[in-house]
Amino acid sequence: MDKLPLHISISSDLYTKNPESSVLGQKIVSKSIEMIDALGFEDFTFKKLGVEIGSNESSVYRYFESKHALLVYLINWYWSWIEYKLVFSTLNVPSANERLTKAIFIVTAEVTEDNAFSYINEVLLNKIIVSESSKAYHTKAIDDENKKGYYKTYKRVVQRISDLVLELNPSYEFPHMLISTVIEGAHHQRYFSKHLPSLTDFEEGKNNIVRFYENLVFKALAKK
Amino acid sequence: MDKLPLHISISSDLYTKNPESSVLGQKIVSKSIEMIDALGFEDFTFKKLGVEIGSNESSVYRYFESKHALLVYLINWYWSWIEYKLVFSTLNVPSANERLTKAIFIVTAEVTEDNAFSYINEVLLNKIIVSESSKAYHTKAIDDENKKGYYKTYKRVVQRISDLVLELNPSYEFPHMLISTVIEGAHHQRYFSKHLPSLTDFEEGKNNIVRFYENLVFKALAKK
DNA sequence: TTACTTATAATAGTAATACTATTATATTTG
DNA sequence: CAAATATAATAGTATTACTATTATAAGTAA
């Protein structure tokens, strides 16, 4: 499934010029992923990116109006990709219980396999989501950006999984809170496990993050 | 309880000169809280702060070596304050169940009352924690800073509540994950409720955030 | 092939940021 | 009153996150 050369298309509101449309654009996206992962979002600049891709700062601005806009683009690409994985892995699975289990796995497990067909390294992109994505929406411009559709892919993923929750337990009061808590929580736990381990109960190779959230969700949904 | 003129002392590793030790220092702290809340952390600068407190940028640097350091100081002050509230509100409460309920309330409820005895506005500080605190630890310097004790107050709060969890259910596998998920999650839900409401099931005046996390925790801990 | 269009690169410049360093002037304390 | 300390003012720096302009290269249509 991961090996499909799937094509992810991103709303044109999220770029100035479509980076898919040229070799330079693709290099901007793939190199920026490597560099944001390596340097962190703060120390990443279009100037440094220009040097790495053998081009110029000003050329990067023709694709993205700011580095914030580039981060938002990457985040949307990521959630589109997750959405594909969700749809494929739950297709033709009759049991709602099993579909929800698969969905939880997709959003809480570490991404370890890169889809070699694309110029986007999903392993690094997942690391960026874990470490940097909260900076995209913790901004004073959030309300304007939300209106422009900057976060709609993420919201759609949450909605999809919330629908599975309601299928299993139609009277559950907090499906969106449950799923956004699981998604954001899993990212935090991955980050904490590496940097502030006393905030977690992470143990290498024991899948504790996935198991914890699976357990949390199914207990929350169980009817007494 | 909230009205006690309690004194919160902050480790000297978290400032260059103790802001409590002078009127200027106190003004720096109280005004920076107002300004970070109003402008957001990115647009807040020591220069603007200097103007507001009728002093100079360079004077602020004598108290905090950077605006990041100031944010870390505020975060630690906040968690020390929460720790006080936790200790007081669970003192002499015999039932472990009730103590955990109170603890969850303290970390998930909105802060609406300001302790007028202090120069720190806890309502605004809570808003800063919700909107800005993740920027403090999502930095490439996290490991160094963690070694220097920048996050120890927060870790202590998580540890305290995790201990309550284990008291109620000693065989529960993920007490730290559960509590850090609840705390971070509640902050996210408060933020989402204002800016990305479709990620929540927030309804004004229905206490859904507190109820959701209370429900989540007690169901997770229930033994079948 | 030429002319036109479009993409890219190079250069320069700007206001602001996040500081550092130095000196001058108050204020406190011994 | 002198000495020490705190604060304020001034200036300066490297870098950032851009914008604007021009030059050059490549692709395409007549």
Side-chain angles (χ1 to χ4, degrees):
Chain A
M1 174 202 97
D2 280 357
K3 291 283 178 251
L4 277 178
L6 47 85
H7 180 251
I8 281 164
S9 68
I10 301 295
S11 155
S12 63
D13 296 330
L14 296 170
Y15 49 74
T16 307
K17 178 186 164 130
N18 191 348
E20 283 186 282
S21 70
S22 73
V23 175
L24 181 65
Q26 295 179 16
K27 268 162 84 178
I28 286 171
V29 170
S30 67
K31 202 72 195 180
S32 69
I33 291 172
E34 285 174 37
M35 291 182 78
I36 293 172
D37 174 59
L39 305 175
F41 187 64
E42 284 74 19
D43 290 349
F44 165 78
T45 69
F46 281 2
K47 193 166 195 175
K48 291 176 187 169
L49 176 62
V51 172
E52 286 287 313
I53 60 177
S55 177
N56 197 274
E57 199 185 1
S58 57
S59 305
V60 180
Y61 278 100
R62 304 186 72 255
Y63 290 84
F64 296 101
E65 66 182 28
S66 64
K67 75 175 189 172
H68 173 76
L70 170 56
L71 180 61
V72 170
Y73 177 90
L74 295 178
I75 291 171
N76 274 278
W77 198 98
Y78 180 80
W79 289 113
S80 291
W81 177 64
I82 291 287
E83 196 179 19
Y84 267 99
K85 299 222 292 183
L86 270 177
V87 171
F88 278 117
S89 78
T90 56
L91 215 61
N92 301 320
V93 175
S95 148
N97 193 304
E98 203 181 321
R99 268 179 287 143
L100 183 57
T101 304
K102 282 172 185 276
I104 293 169
F105 181 83
I106 286 170
V107 296
T108 60
E110 200 174 358
V111 175
T112 53
E113 267 191 35
D114 175 33
N115 172 0
F117 285 85
S118 142
Y119 56 92
I120 288 184
N121 181 328
E122 288 101 3
V123 175
L124 296 185
L125 185 52
N126 171 257
K127 286 175 71 188
I128 290 172
I129 298 299
V130 166
S131 302
E132 315 290 348
S133 70
S134 71
K135 294 167 192 171
Y137 58 78
H138 281 125
T139 170
K140 282 281 162 183
I142 175 83
D143 299 327
D144 278 349
E145 295 188 350
N146 186 33
K147 267 181 215 140
K148 290 189 206 146
Y150 280 28
Y151 304 103
K152 70 175 170 222
T153 320
Y154 180 47
K155 293 192 288 190
R156 215 163 53 218
V157 166
V158 170
Q159 187 57 53
R160 247 177 221 284
I161 311 181
S162 299
D163 290 344
L164 292 179
V165 163
L166 287 178
E167 234 183 284
L168 255 180
N169 182 343
S171 65
Y172 185 66
E173 244 184 304
F174 314 115
H176 303 89
M177 287 193 181
L178 182 63
I179 297 310
S180 60
T181 294
V182 167
I183 292 176
E184 295 291 330
H187 295 163
H188 273 103
Q189 298 301 321
R190 295 256 159 239
Y191 189 80
F192 290 158
S193 72
K194 291 201 179 87
H195 303 292
L196 301 167
S198 70
L199 298 178
T200 75
D201 309 278
F202 181 82
E203 293 166 273
E204 199 61 49
K206 294 191 75 178
N207 255 334
N208 280 4
I209 296 177
V210 175
R211 283 173 52 228
F212 165 66
Y213 285 107
E214 212 179 282
N215 184 284
L216 200 67
V217 168
F218 283 99
K219 281 188 171 162
L221 297 182
K223 300 165 202 167
K224 288 168 286 276
Chain B
M1 175 203 96
D2 279 357
K3 291 283 177 251
L4 274 180
L6 48 82
H7 180 250
I8 281 164
S9 68
I10 301 295
S11 155
S12 63
D13 297 331
L14 296 170
Y15 49 74
T16 307
K17 176 184 165 131
N18 191 347
E20 283 186 280
S21 70
S22 73
V23 175
L24 182 66
Q26 294 178 16
K27 268 161 83 178
I28 287 171
V29 170
S30 67
K31 202 73 195 178
S32 70
I33 291 171
E34 285 173 37
M35 291 182 77
I36 293 172
D37 174 59
L39 305 176
F41 187 64
E42 284 73 20
D43 290 349
F44 164 77
T45 69
F46 280 2
K47 193 166 194 173
K48 291 176 188 169
L49 176 62
V51 172
E52 285 287 313
I53 59 177
S55 177
N56 198 273
E57 200 186 0
S58 57
S59 306
V60 181
Y61 278 101
R62 306 185 72 254
Y63 290 84
F64 296 101
E65 67 183 27
S66 65
K67 75 175 189 172
H68 173 76
L70 170 57
L71 181 61
V72 170
Y73 177 91
L74 295 179
I75 291 171
N76 273 277
W77 198 98
Y78 180 80
W79 289 112
S80 290
W81 177 65
I82 292 287
E83 196 179 18
Y84 267 97
K85 299 222 290 183
L86 270 177
V87 171
F88 278 116
S89 78
T90 57
L91 215 62
N92 302 321
V93 175
S95 147
N97 195 303
E98 203 181 321
R99 268 179 288 144
L100 183 56
T101 304
K102 281 172 185 277
I104 294 169
F105 180 83
I106 286 169
V107 296
T108 61
E110 200 175 359
V111 174
T112 52
E113 268 191 37
D114 175 33
N115 172 1
F117 286 85
S118 141
Y119 56 92
I120 289 184
N121 182 327
E122 287 101 4
V123 176
L124 295 185
L125 184 52
N126 172 257
K127 286 175 70 188
I128 290 172
I129 297 299
V130 166
S131 301
E132 315 290 348
S133 70
S134 71
K135 295 168 191 170
Y137 58 77
H138 281 125
T139 169
K140 282 281 163 185
I142 175 83
D143 298 327
D144 278 350
E145 296 188 348
N146 186 31
K147 269 182 212 137
K148 291 189 206 146
Y150 280 27
Y151 304 103
K152 70 176 169 218
T153 320
Y154 180 48
K155 293 192 290 190
R156 215 163 53 217
V157 166
V158 170
Q159 186 56 53
R160 245 178 223 284
I161 310 181
S162 299
D163 289 345
L164 293 179
V165 163
L166 287 177
E167 236 184 283
L168 255 179
N169 181 345
S171 65
Y172 185 66
E173 243 184 306
F174 313 116
H176 302 89
M177 287 193 181
L178 182 64
I179 297 309
S180 58
T181 294
V182 167
I183 292 176
E184 295 291 330
H187 295 164
H188 274 103
Q189 298 301 321
R190 295 252 159 241
Y191 188 80
F192 290 159
S193 72
K194 291 201 180 87
H195 303 292
L196 300 167
S198 70
L199 298 178
T200 74
D201 309 277
F202 180 83
E203 293 165 272
E204 198 61 48
K206 293 192 73 179
N207 254 335
N208 280 4
I209 296 177
V210 174
R211 283 173 52 227
F212 165 66
Y213 285 108
E214 214 179 278
N215 184 282
L216 200 67
V217 168
F218 284 99
K219 279 188 172 161
L221 297 182
K223 299 163 201 167
K224 288 168 286 273

